DNA sequence: AGCACGCCGACT
DNA sequence: GTCGGCGTGCTC
């Protein structure tokens, strides 16, 4: 028998090899070891042939070995679809999986999950939970594609629903994929599952997994074992023969999109995978994404609501204005309302979370006098403050290439522009401020700097859980899914911050984040309070009460419709990369002109913008340029992208179809 | 992607 | 005369 393979390392053309009679069974997608000159290389089988075509005149060599691969009949179709959507080579998936199992550079000791004895207390399900579980069961048992949106307010017990379904799937000897938007959440959830479902195998598959754990995952896949696989991006890319259910938890989070190219969105491809495999998929959140709510409605997804909190009541929301009574307090960033509440907390020995999101690299402007923020007239997004090395200041829109000079005075209250606020405050400074106000309090910090060091993070979480820390100051990393029963006060330092991000979905992200962080308060018996500090009266703040989240959705979706934003149109981004800025600049323009012409000729009506030099335009010597595409359907943009493939350019070219 | 091959300049 | 830097081309 003869085969054609693609090398996992090396050049792109298929190569022929022969296979000896009686060797291990081979099929398309099998990984084999092949001889290449005087070395050997892994390769993936792309075609099987009984005879050699006459055109082959050279001597075909024989393969060296066949590597065992999980026997997943739907895998080929799935990765082909993903590859074509992101404009990448399907071999990428084999490379990625293989390199992940090969490299054993794991930092620190492997995660040890203590198997504990099951509490065996029968769980009393609420009526809402029962409805959701009963609604999903048919798709599980009969095996058909069923997307489900599970909208459960914070603390409503979504996990209980998941657990019931997981047990059902595992009892049928199948695999459950459980996706979360962050590694730290995966570790936490893994230990929770291992504790509560001690009879089942729970495996993590992320950058935090040890080599032995990865090997165990692979071995289990080969054997077709039944287990729960927890991760962010990688699990969805694995071949799994007996996939039974996919759960995407905290589905509103942006963490499912990969940060490196190709920027695959795991939530999105999870939906495709479920369809390909005829299984149900559950997207769960207390603040579902606008896109998912819209899809649930228009595509007939099952939609379940958990409106009641499992324990505890919804927290009381207090809005405090940062610009009022400034002279009456010690520090601008801590209002009297917040200061007094924190003081009470310290006396009551209850814990406080202080939320301050200093995400983003560029600053927006806000008038100190009236709270006005300059925004783009055409896009209803705030303008990004830009300062060149020469000292030249200007305001730019990230979406439509609109720009303007820095105004001399505030157009609302005519205050001189020097009173525009450009700089924010970070978590580190916040800790200092609080320490000064409350010298006796033990204050912890949790942000990207801390979570990057897994040991520190783990320690911080343990300390906070046992009550050794009074106040925890953090960025969005504390908003995600944690359950701290003794937290009864949440303070949001600067709620307007995330409302003014220069993206079309800034409002969605902002309200989700605020509701999520507010949801950390009063999750047990004790009632919770949330103090939200603001600069201006943003219309978004009327939705701070999470029971009104669907009202927010209805308003937002109308706005998106009026402005022609997703989900009514699709946004895509072409990213060109090259070390030489001159070549890059020239090629980016060339590509743009080519696309522009083709778009006109074929009447695709894709809106093209660019090429734009992004704000962060150079990362480790690599320069970047962006071309934005706005279209009614992805397909139209793909026609343009595929036409580019024949064009010979030196720059690297990536397609990012932005979701939501 | 690797690796061999070969051309050419620098250094013992 | 030999070493090695790197440009080029080939791999079933």
């Amino acid at each position: 028998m003869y085969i054609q393979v693609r090398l996992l390392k090396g050049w792109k053309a298929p190569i022929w090899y022969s296979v000896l009679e009686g060797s291990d069974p081979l099929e398309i997608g099998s990984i084999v070891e092949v001889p290449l000159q005087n070395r050997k290389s892994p390769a993936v089988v792309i075609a099987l042939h009984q005879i050699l075509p006459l055109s082959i005149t050279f001597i075909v060599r024989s393969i060296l070995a066949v590597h065992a691969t999980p026997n997943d009949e739907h895998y080929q179709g799935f990765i082909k679809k993903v590859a074509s959507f992101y404009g990448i080579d399907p071999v990428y998936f084999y490379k990625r999986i293989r390199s992940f199992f090969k490299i054993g550079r794991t930092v620190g000791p492997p995660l040890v999950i203590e198997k504990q004895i099951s509490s065996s207390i029968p769980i009393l399900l609420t009526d809402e939970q029962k409805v959701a579980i009963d609604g999903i069961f048919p798709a599980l048992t009969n095996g058909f594609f069923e997307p489900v949106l599970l909208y459960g307010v914070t603390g409503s017990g979504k996990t209980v629903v998941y657990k019931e379904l997981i047990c059902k799937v595992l009892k049928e000897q199948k695999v459950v994929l459980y996706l979360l938007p962050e590694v730290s959440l995966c570790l936490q959830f893994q230990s929770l599952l291992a504790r509560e479902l001690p009879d089942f195998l729970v495996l993590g598959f992320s950058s935090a997994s040890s080599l032995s754990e990865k090997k165990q995952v692979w071995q289990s896949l080969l054997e077709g074992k039944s287990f729960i696989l927890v991760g962010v991006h990688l699990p969805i890319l694995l071949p799994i023969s007996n996939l039974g259910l996919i759960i995407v938890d905290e589905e509103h989070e942006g963490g499912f999109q990969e940060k490196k190219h190709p920027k695959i969105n795991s939530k999105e491809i999870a939906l495709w995978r479920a369809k390909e495999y005829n299984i149900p998929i559950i997207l769960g959140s207390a603040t579902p994404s606008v896109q998912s709510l819209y899809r649930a409605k228009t595509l007939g997804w099952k939609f379940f609501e958990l409106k009641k909190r499992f324990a505890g009541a919804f927290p009381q929301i207090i809005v405090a204005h940062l610009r009022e009574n400034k002279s009456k307090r010690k520090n601008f960033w801590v209002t009297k309302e917040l200061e007094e509440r924190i003081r009470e907390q310290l006396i009551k020995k209850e814990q406080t979370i202080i939320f301050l999101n200093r995400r983003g690299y560029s600053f927006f402007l806000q008038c100190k006098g009236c709270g006005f923020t300059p925004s783009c007239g055409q896009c209803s997004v705030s303008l990004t403050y830009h300062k060149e090395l020469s000292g030249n200041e200007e305001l730019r829109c990230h979406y439509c290439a609109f720009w303007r000079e820095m105004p001399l005075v505030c157009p609302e209250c005519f205050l001189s522009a020097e009173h525009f606020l450009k700089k924010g405050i970070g978590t580190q400074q916040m800790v200092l401020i609080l320490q000064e106000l409350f010298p006796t309090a033990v204050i912890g910090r949790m942000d990207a700097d801390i979570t990057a060091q897994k040991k520190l993070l783990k320690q911080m979480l343990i300390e906070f859980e046992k009550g050794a820390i009074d106040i925890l100051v953090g960025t969005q990393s504390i908003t995600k899914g944690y359950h701290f029963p003794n937290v009864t006060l949440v303070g949001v330092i600067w709620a307007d911050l995330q409302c003014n991000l220069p993206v079309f979905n800034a409002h969605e992200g902002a309200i989700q984040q605020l509701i999520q962080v507010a949801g950390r308060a009063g999750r047990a018996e004790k009632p919770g309070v949330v103090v939200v500090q603001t600069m201006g009266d943003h219309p978004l703040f009327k939705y701070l009460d999470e029971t009104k989240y669907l009202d927010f959705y209805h308003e937002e979706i109308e706005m998106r419709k009026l402005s022609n934003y997703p989900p009514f149109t699709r946004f895509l981004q072409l990213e060109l990369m090259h070390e030489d800025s001159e070549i890059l600049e020239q090629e980016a323009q060339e590509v743009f002109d080519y696309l522009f012409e083709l778009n006109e000729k074929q009447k695709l009506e894709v809106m093209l913008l660019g090429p734009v030099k992004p704000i962060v335009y150079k990362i480790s010597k690599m320069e970047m340029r962006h071309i934005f595409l706005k279209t009614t359907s992805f397909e139209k943009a793909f026609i343009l992208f595929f036409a580019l493939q024949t064009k010979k350019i030196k720059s690297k070219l990536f397609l990012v179809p932005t979701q939501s």
Side-chain angles (χ1 to χ4, degrees):
Chain A
M1 188 174 64
Y2 298 93
I3 57 171
Q4 276 180 292
V5 302
R6 287 275 316 272
L7 296 177
L8 296 194
K9 289 184 232 174
W11 84 111
K12 289 189 155 96
I15 322 180
W16 288 89
Y17 284 95
S18 67
V19 182
L20 293 171
E21 292 295 322
S23 81
D24 293 333
L26 269 182
E27 41 192 275
I28 290 170
S30 296
I31 305 288
V32 291
E33 200 77 23
V34 297
L36 190 69
Q37 291 175 310
N38 58 349
R39 64 213 139 92
K40 54 183 184 178
S41 173
V44 57
V45 178
I46 57 160
L48 304 170
H49 301 268
Q50 283 313 313
I51 50 162
L52 272 183
L54 292 169
S55 58
I56 306 283
T57 49
F58 45 78
I59 297 160
V60 175
R61 296 172 78 180
S62 171
I63 63 162
L64 301 169
V66 181
H67 294 296
T69 331
N71 172 34
D72 181 348
E73 51 172 344
H74 300 295
Y75 192 65
Q76 289 295 318
F78 170 65
I79 60 169
K80 265 196 191 130
K81 199 173 171 194
V82 179
S84 81
F85 186 73
Y86 291 94
I88 50 170
D89 187 338
V91 169
Y92 165 80
F93 299 96
Y94 294 98
K95 277 187 196 170
R96 177 131 181 226
I97 290 166
R98 218 189 118 81
S99 66
F100 202 78
F101 284 107
K102 274 252 160 155
I103 297 160
R105 284 186 293 122
T106 38
V107 193
L111 179 85
V112 182
I113 294 162
E114 326 76 59
K115 290 266 166 185
Q116 292 184 5
I117 305 130
S118 174
S119 49
S120 74
I121 303 162
I123 306 153
L124 290 169
L125 297 169
T126 65
D127 288 344
E128 290 176 330
Q129 286 168 338
K130 266 184 220 150
V131 169
I133 292 162
D134 292 345
I136 302 164
F137 258 29
L140 275 185
T141 359
N142 303 327
F144 55 88
F145 172 56
E146 176 123 279
V148 177
L149 183 57
L150 180 61
Y151 164 45
V153 295
T154 56
S156 61
K158 287 187 288 296
T159 317
V160 177
V161 175
Y162 298 149
K163 243 171 56 188
E164 287 292 309
L165 297 166
I166 288 169
C167 287
K168 174 86 180 162
V169 176
L170 293 177
K171 277 176 194 155
E172 293 191 2
Q173 297 304 309
K174 287 182 180 164
V175 172
V176 179
L177 275 189
Y178 196 107
L179 304 183
L180 280 158
E182 228 179 60
V183 176
S184 64
L185 284 177
C186 291
L187 297 179
Q188 197 187 326
F189 193 75
Q190 241 181 289
S191 46
L192 178 127
L193 277 185
R195 196 164 58 234
E196 300 206 357
L197 302 174
D199 303 330
F200 299 112
L201 180 62
V202 182
L203 292 171
F205 196 66
S206 66
S207 55
S209 308
S210 65
L211 187 60
S212 65
E213 193 173 11
K214 288 177 195 170
K215 276 185 178 159
Q216 207 183 342
V217 169
W218 192 246
Q219 197 52 42
S220 306
L221 290 173
L222 286 175
E223 290 169 22
K225 267 193 194 168
S226 160
F227 66 109
I228 311 158
L229 188 50
V230 184
V232 184
H233 302 301
L234 284 155
I236 199 70
L237 300 179
L238 292 170
I240 303 168
S241 58
N242 52 340
L243 188 55
L245 171 69
I246 304 175
I247 298 172
V248 182
D249 202 6
E250 309 291 344
E251 71 87 26
H252 62 282
E253 286 286 342
F256 290 112
Q257 171 144 333
E258 302 214 45
K259 277 140 214 83
K260 288 180 297 195
H261 287 295
K263 294 187 182 173
I264 293 168
N265 189 309
S266 304
K267 175 175 80 171
E268 193 61 26
I269 67 171
L271 279 159
W272 301 352
R273 190 151 193 183
K275 195 173 184 181
E276 195 90 29
Y277 288 64
N278 294 316
I279 55 168
I281 174 168
I282 306 167
L283 307 185
S285 176
T287 51
S289 62
V290 168
Q291 190 201 26
S292 293
L293 282 165
Y294 182 73
R295 281 177 165 178
K297 200 175 159 193
T298 55
L299 304 177
W301 289 5
K302 282 215 165 150
F303 181 65
F304 297 108
E305 278 184 81
L306 308 179
K307 293 179 186 167
K308 290 184 217 102
R309 271 199 164 185
F310 211 57
F314 288 106
Q316 182 196 352
I317 311 274
I318 298 164
V319 176
H321 295 273
L322 279 164
R323 286 181 292 109
E324 288 167 14
N325 307 316
K326 278 185 277 191
S327 53
K328 287 184 187 168
R329 55 181 190 256
K330 290 170 197 138
N331 188 290
F332 176 77
W333 295 105
V334 184
T335 56
K336 271 272 167 262
E337 287 86 349
L338 182 59
E339 189 188 333
E340 260 144 45
R341 297 269 175 186
I342 296 176
R343 188 149 288 136
E344 277 174 37
Q345 291 291 103
L346 294 172
I347 295 165
K348 283 191 291 182
K349 294 257 177 270
E350 288 176 10
Q351 288 171 300
T352 302
I353 282 178
I354 297 293
F355 175 67
L356 173 59
N357 209 16
R358 273 283 285 118
R359 190 173 61 164
Y361 35 77
S362 60
F363 305 114
F364 66 92
L365 296 180
Q366 189 164 47
C367 175
K368 239 181 174 174
C370 65
F372 170 77
T373 293
S375 60
C376 177
Q378 301 165 58
C379 304
S380 75
V381 293
S382 61
L383 292 170
T384 306
Y385 172 68
H386 207 90
K387 193 173 181 180
E388 303 284 351
L389 278 174
S390 59
N392 181 38
E393 291 171 299
E394 58 185 38
L395 303 175
R396 284 193 195 172
C397 174
H398 211 282
Y399 270 75
C400 70
F402 168 84
W403 71 276
R404 56 162 296 173
E405 302 275 356
M406 172 81 179
L408 295 171
V409 293
C410 170
E412 292 285 306
C413 68
F414 304 106
L415 202 67
S416 163
E418 47 186 85
H419 293 289
F420 271 124
L421 222 50
K422 286 171 208 157
K423 275 193 176 177
I425 173 180
T427 43
Q428 285 179 327
Q429 201 187 332
M430 200 60 224
V431 171
L432 292 177
I433 291 168
L434 289 170
Q435 198 68 75
E436 209 165 288
L437 288 172
F438 312 104
T440 55
V442 181
I443 302 171
R445 184 165 63 90
M446 183 156 131
D447 51 31
D449 303 322
I450 305 284
T451 42
Q453 296 160 274
K454 291 191 183 80
K455 246 189 176 172
L456 265 179
L457 170 71
K458 206 174 169 186
Q459 200 179 335
M460 185 67 74
L461 288 172
I462 291 168
E463 298 261 297
F464 194 62
E465 244 167 7
K466 72 178 185 194
I469 293 170
D470 301 311
I471 306 169
L472 189 61
V473 178
T475 56
Q476 68 257 40
S477 23
I478 45 172
T479 63
K480 291 170 192 162
Y482 292 113
H483 180 82
F484 303 114
N486 201 31
V487 171
T488 48
L489 175 66
V490 167
V492 179
I493 296 300
W494 187 2
D496 324 49
L497 189 57
Q498 38 272 58
C499 306
N500 296 304
L501 286 175
V503 288
F504 74 88
N505 52 356
H507 285 183
E508 179 185 351
I511 199 68
Q512 286 167 349
Q513 211 158 58
L514 290 169
I515 288 173
Q516 292 286 346
V517 71
R520 300 312 109 200
R523 288 174 71 96
E525 305 77 37
K526 295 172 210 157
V529 175
V530 182
V531 177
V532 180
Q533 300 189 142
T534 73
M535 291 285 183
D537 274 315
H538 201 284
L540 202 55
F541 296 151
K542 64 175 176 281
Y543 300 116
L544 282 171
D545 175 356
E546 73 166 300
T547 58
K548 292 185 188 147
Y549 184 73
L550 287 183
D551 296 339
F552 160 77
Y553 164 73
H554 290 123
E555 192 186 302
E556 177 73 10
I557 200 79
E558 281 307 309
M559 193 282 284
R560 300 269 182 100
K561 198 172 187 175
L562 283 171
S563 322
N564 253 329
Y565 280 150
F568 299 97
T569 48
R570 315 312 301 252
F571 284 1
L572 296 95
Q573 196 186 80
L574 277 182
E575 187 164 279
L576 287 109
M577 297 162 80
H578 200 279
E579 285 196 11
D580 187 319
S581 63
E582 261 178 49
I583 294 173
L584 179 65
E585 199 107 337
Q586 193 203 322
E587 288 189 345
Q589 193 59 53
E590 213 173 285
V591 165
F592 181 83
D593 293 343
Y594 179 78
L595 291 179
F596 194 86
E597 205 173 295
L598 191 68
N599 185 42
E600 293 285 297
K601 215 185 278 171
Q602 300 211 10
K603 294 193 168 51
L604 294 170
E605 292 175 327
V606 175
M607 211 172 131
L608 288 153
L609 297 165
V612 172
K613 191 173 177 175
I615 295 160
V616 182
Y617 65 93
K618 199 175 188 178
I619 294 171
S620 49
K621 287 187 184 170
M622 197 61 102
E623 285 224 20
M624 290 172 287
R625 294 295 182 275
H626 289 159
I627 294 171
F628 295 104
L629 295 88
K630 189 175 170 181
T631 168
T632 46
S633 78
F634 277 139
E635 280 67 31
K636 289 182 180 176
F638 290 154
I639 293 172
L640 292 177
F641 183 73
F642 287 124
L644 274 180
Q645 302 304 305
T646 52
K647 227 172 151 49
K648 273 187 193 152
I649 51 165
K650 288 176 196 146
S651 308
K652 277 190 176 166
L653 181 66
F654 288 102
L655 180 68
V656 187
T658 46
Q659 305 300 332
S660 80

